[in-house]
Amino acid sequence: MNNKNKRTYKDIYIDPVRTDIVWSDIEALFKALGASVSEGNGSRIRVMLNGERAVFHRPHPEKTTDKGAVKAVRRFLENAGVIL
């Protein structure tokens, strides 16, 4: 995992919830953690990490995530047992 992935991980857990995290950085973090990422219908992506599954929607037309998506990513990482 590189420094950018570590920074993205820390940004996900900052309170108050950030809304300027670029979605492609979150996907890169998933991949760096060893997750399986596959395309779903439309803007959906399926992520499997440590036996935990989740479906996320890529934000569009903007590149950054909203608060709800960041909270969902937090829950997913916690449920998958990711701790840095």
Side-chain angles (χ1 to χ4, degrees), residues 15-81:
D15 280 319
V17 178
R18 295 184 61 168
T19 59
D20 63 344
I21 303 172
V22 178
W23 181 256
S24 59
D25 293 345
I26 292 174
E27 281 191 51
L29 173 63
F30 290 155
K31 292 175 184 175
L33 292 169
S36 168
V37 179
S38 60
E39 299 292 324
N41 293 332
S43 62
R44 293 181 181 97
I45 64 161
R46 291 182 292 259
V47 183
M48 173 78 124
L49 178 63
N50 298 336
E52 191 69 27
R53 296 180 192 200
V55 176
F56 298 101
H57 293 262
R58 284 189 181 110
H60 54 83
E62 60 278 339
K63 299 183 295 182
T64 57
T65 57
D66 62 13
K67 288 181 181 185
V70 173
K71 289 178 182 179
V73 170
R74 279 184 189 180
R75 278 192 305 274
F76 171 70
L77 293 174
E78 289 168 359
N79 292 339

